């Protein structure tokens, strides 16, 4: 009997109220085939439905080298050949990368080693990002004849500014953690091997705060970025009033 393949995605709870998603395919530097994307999408759905207040995503020695180009196209073709709707296939891929998906809780990325392609797109969907000193980042899609359509074309110019984003998107070059920190893509740079530890520290700090306030901040910021500054102020006021109302009710109970 052939043993079952090891899961490419592991979901654990290393600290109270903290969920950890670990990409676990080290032999391929955490490159994900279609099954891996679907496992990751399922893990995010489980996190969203659970009781965690914050999530951490990591990959061990390497965050992720992106989609597994050796098999991904064939995987998608096979799924379509089995009669699966294309929309359902791509919905799983996009959900895995948190494209058009806003989790109610914050996500912290712990980035070691390489963070390429879909791996960088996933990192770009997180809220707090810790990178090891030797971590490397790249969106090499243009070198292979396609574009970074997991959210980066739309999101990256808003995160790090137009010139920096276009340098990343159009050259396909690799950039170090220090440069990505300078551009604002990474929040902290730490010694190699310590990104996960620092990410868990941040996650614990966030989890210790009021969960209603934390969720309110994430929702207000996310909604506000999609509109004008005036609209963002209105959202901030509305969400603030909602959180205060919850706090008052809790104090009376």
């Amino acid at each position: 009997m052939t043993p079952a393949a090891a899961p490419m995605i592991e979901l654990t709870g290393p600290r109270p109220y903290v969920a950890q998603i670990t990409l676990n395919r080290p032999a391929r530097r955490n490159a994900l085939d279609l099954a891996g994307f679907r496992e990751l999408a399922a893990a995010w759905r489980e996190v969203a439905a659970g009781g965690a207040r914050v999530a951490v995503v990591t990959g061990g020695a390497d965050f992720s080298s992106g989609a597994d180009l050796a098999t991904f196209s064939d995987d998608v073709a096979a799924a379509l050949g089995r009669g699966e709707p294309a929309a359902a296939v791509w919905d799983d891929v996009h959900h895995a990368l948190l494209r058009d998906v806003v989790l109610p809780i914050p996500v912290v990325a712990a980035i070691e080693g390489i963070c390429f392609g879909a791996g960088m797109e996933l990192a770009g969907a997180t809220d707090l990002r810790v990178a090891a000193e030797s971590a490397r980042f790249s969106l090499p899609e243009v070198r292979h004849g396609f574009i970074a359509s997991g959210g980066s074309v739309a999101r990256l110019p808003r995160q790090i500014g137009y010139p920096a984003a276009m340098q990343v998107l159009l050259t396909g070059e690799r950039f170090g953690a220090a440069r990505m920190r300078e551009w604002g893509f990474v929040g902290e740079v730490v010694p190699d091997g310590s990104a996960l530890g620092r990410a868990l520290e941040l996650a614990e700090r966030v989890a210790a705060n009021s969960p209603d306030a934390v969720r309110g901040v994430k929702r207000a910021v996310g909604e506000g970025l999609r509109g004008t500054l005036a609209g963002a102020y209105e959202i901030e006021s509305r969400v603030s009033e909602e959180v205060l109302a919850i706090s008052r009710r809790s104090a009376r109970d």
Side-chain angles (χ1 to χ4, degrees):
M1 184 174 182
T2 302
M8 280 179 268
I9 306 299
E10 296 179 349
L11 177 57
T12 56
R15 310 281 173 89
Y17 300 109
V18 176
Q20 179 176 315
I21 289 179
T22 303
L23 281 64
N24 183 32
R25 202 186 183 200
R28 296 289 293 165
R29 307 194 82 170
N30 291 332
L32 297 178
D33 56 17
L34 181 57
F37 278 108
R38 288 182 149 171
E39 285 184 34
L40 182 54
W44 287 126
R45 293 183 177 108
E46 188 172 346
V47 167
R53 296 179 181 179
V54 60
V56 172
V57 60
T58 187
D62 289 300
F63 188 73
S64 174
S65 58
D68 191 338
L69 298 182
T71 63
F72 183 75
S73 295
D74 289 341
D75 292 342
V76 172
L80 299 180
R82 292 191 297 269
E84 293 190 49
V89 174
W90 289 108
D91 180 66
D92 280 339
V93 174
H94 290 159
H95 199 111
L97 300 178
L98 300 178
R99 181 187 186 271
D100 298 325
V101 176
V102 180
L103 291 184
I105 62 173
V107 182
V108 187
I111 304 165
E112 301 268 359
I114 62 174
C115 185
F116 294 169
M120 183 170 166
E121 300 211 83
L122 173 59
T126 63
D127 303 292
L128 293 86
R129 302 166 203 165
V130 180
E133 290 173 333
S134 64
R136 290 165 289 159
F137 299 79
S138 177
L139 291 174
E141 283 80 356
V142 291
R143 290 162 41 199
H144 301 284
F146 52 99
I147 70 172
S149 59
S152 293
V153 168
R155 186 169 50 223
L156 199 61
R158 292 168 169 81
Q159 294 183 336
I160 67 174
Y162 186 86
M166 294 303 277
Q167 187 169 343
V168 174
L169 290 164
L170 293 178
T171 66
E173 293 178 354
R174 299 177 181 184
F175 301 89
R179 174 61 66 84
M180 299 307 286
R181 174 69 181 86
E182 176 187 329
W183 280 340
F185 185 80
V186 169
E188 291 188 31
V189 176
V190 298
D192 289 347
S194 64
L196 179 57
R198 178 56 180 154
L200 288 171
E201 288 177 2
L202 289 172
E204 282 190 304
R205 188 170 300 177
V206 172
N209 294 329
S210 161
D212 293 315
V214 168
R215 287 171 181 250
V217 167
K218 175 154 184 178
R219 180 158 56 94
V221 171
E223 291 180 11
L225 285 173
R226 291 194 288 271
T228 64
L229 180 60
Y233 286 143
E234 294 176 0
I235 293 166
E236 179 185 284
S237 296
R238 171 172 54 79
V239 175
S240 177
E241 291 171 2
E242 292 173 1
V243 172
L244 284 173
I246 293 171
S247 180
R248 293 191 186 103
R249 286 198 298 271
S250 298
R252 289 196 301 267
D253 293 341

